Amino acid sequence: MSRPGQRLASALRPLALASLVANAGLIVTGAAVRLTGSGLGCPTWPKCTDDSYTTTAEMGVHGVIEFGNRLLTFVLVALAFATFFAALVSRPRRKSLIILSIAVALGVPGQGVVGGITVLTKLNPWVVGLHFILSIALIAGCYALWRRVDEGDGRPVPLVPTPIRHLAWITALVSFAVIAVGVVVTGSGPHAGDQGAKRNGLDPAAISQVHADLVFLLIGLSVALWFALRALNAPPATIRAAGVLIAVEFGQGIIGFVQYFTHLPVILVAAHMLGAAVTWTATLAVLWSLRTRPELPRPTDQPTPAVVQPAEPVPAS
């Protein structure tokens, strides 16, 4: 392998981590777009205006904020494709890493298209919500790629009993449900991204109560998982991952309650959106800590072919 190829291959894990962080950052910049009323700062897509791909001075700060969010997509694409090529030139070449990097590389432009649809539909709250959920899916893909770099390709080896794994997966499903319902809450609230954008028509108080109930369920399941892991003397890394998840959930819950009772100040809403990405990442960390993947066994050396000895000459009688 050439020296540039070696450098690219050695950068695979940092590139995967950078892609993970950047996709979480997209949630933050998307929040800035919505919370500053800049959702239609660029009123069309893929151009920013009918005559320009970039923002113009007449569009003011809203155009700058929206266009800046669009530019981040190009950073995500560059990181995704760099990660793919790093996986491609790595030796030994690993199919699992190539597949994951392709999934992320295709997901980023797909996310950009959905972002364009949100503009073309004048910030339809359901399309905006789908835009956020796709970011959560991309975070999962990037996290899986980042963790798989340091794993083998053997069959997963469970580190905890099956009932505990089931409890962890139920916790993960509830974690996703909390995020999904939180998106619906956002679609019913005041921060639409533009003064003329429609809301989903649901009662904010009622859907917020559903969201809060799911948060309580999530925390209860996480605490139960932590106690179960300790009782079974699970690996320290697994117990620690569950503890981190509980701490993140409590922090996210406090932000959520404070923002609700203080009438959704912009800074707390932005922090809560970032917290959703952090909570989801902590959830993935728990799932990843439940098993390990060994290296595939190396193929044994081929046996040396037997050497046929010539027959002893038979003396003449």
Side-chain angles (χ1 to χ4, degrees), residues 57-72:
E58 293 79 7
M59 300 169 70
V61 67
H62 293 309
V64 172
I65 294 173
E66 163 63 8
F67 185 68
N69 185 56
R70 294 188 182 191
L71 286 179
L72 183 57

Side-chain angles (χ1 to χ4, degrees), residues 87-98 153:
L88 195 63
V89 301
S90 295
R91 295 295 181 271
R93 184 175 292 171
R94 298 173 59 189
K95 183 179 179 181
S96 60
L97 298 183
I98 293 175
D153 288 317

Side-chain angles (χ1 to χ4, degrees), residues 83-223:
T83 305
F84 165 71
F85 285 115
L88 195 63
V89 301
S90 295
R91 295 295 181 271
R93 184 175 292 171
R94 298 173 59 189
K95 183 179 179 181
S96 60
L97 298 183
I98 293 175
I99 292 174
L100 281 170
S101 62
I102 290 175
V104 173
L106 294 177
V108 172
Q111 172 76 314
V113 171
V114 174
I117 295 174
T118 64
V119 174
L120 298 177
T121 58
K122 305 303 179 184
L123 307 182
N124 180 291
W126 299 107
V127 181
V128 174
L130 176 61
H131 195 39
F132 186 90
I133 293 298
L134 286 177
S135 287
I136 294 298
L138 275 170
I139 286 174
C142 292
Y143 185 86
L145 178 58
W146 176 57
R147 292 296 299 266
R148 288 287 287 119
V149 172
D150 285 341
E151 291 184 328
D153 288 317
R155 293 176 62 86
V157 177
L159 299 176
V160 297
T162 299
I164 301 301
R165 298 201 304 275
H166 289 169
L167 175 59
W169 277 102
I170 292 171
T171 303
L173 289 175
V174 174
S175 178
F176 180 79
V178 167
I179 294 172
V181 175
V183 169
V184 179
V185 173
T186 300
S188 68
H191 298 297
D194 186 80
Q195 291 183 351
K198 295 181 179 179
R199 303 283 72 205
N200 59 26
L202 299 176
D203 178 39
I207 194 66
S208 294
Q209 184 61 57
V210 174
H211 180 61
D213 292 341
L214 285 172
V215 170
F216 286 126
L217 176 60
L218 175 60
I219 293 176
L221 288 170
S222 301
V223 171

